[in-house]
Amino acid sequence: MLAAIASPSPDPRQGGAREEDSHLPGSLILHIAHDGAHSYRARMFDERDQVGTPTYHSRIDEAIRWYGEHSPAAGVKAFRIWYGGWCAGSFSLAEMEQDADDIAERLLVLALVAR
């Protein structure tokens, strides 16, 4: 069942941050990486290039909720959320804001079980 909702990810390529985001699609990739004790780096990608600058959070659910509430790129309505090489799926901004705890738990389980 886990394979049906997740797939392994290649490391996203780091590209330069873009000045303008008006051309971005309605959905971006949100990649969350563990940076150390209580430190998670969240970055947005538009398939291959990093968009904007990374943000830093103390928990995975905090990063998810922050992007759901603030939508840092104009016109973005959803994110495909990745952590630990696994994708939990695509979520609207409202889902990210309301269900951040559940999405974070799903990502942690996928990362631990599917190693």
Side-chain angles (χ1 to χ4, degrees), residues 26-73:
S27 175
L28 292 177
I29 296 168
L30 176 60
H31 184 269
I32 302 169
H34 187 242
D35 258 2
H38 304 288
S39 179
Y40 295 89
R41 179 182 63 224
R43 298 176 294 167
M44 294 185 302
F45 291 87
D46 69 350
E47 296 304 325
R48 39 165 231 246
D49 295 321
Q50 184 174 321
V51 177
T53 57
T55 58
Y56 296 89
H57 308 272
S58 61
R59 295 186 324 266
I60 295 171
D61 62 302
E62 181 183 293
I64 294 167
R65 189 171 290 108
W66 189 90
Y67 278 84
E69 291 173 352
H70 297 96
S71 182

Side-chain angles (χ1 to χ4, degrees), residues 1-7 86-87 106 109-110 113-114:
M1 176 156 163
L2 290 178
I5 59 172
S7 60
W86 297 94
C87 181
R106 183 185 306 182
V109 168
L110 287 170
V113 172

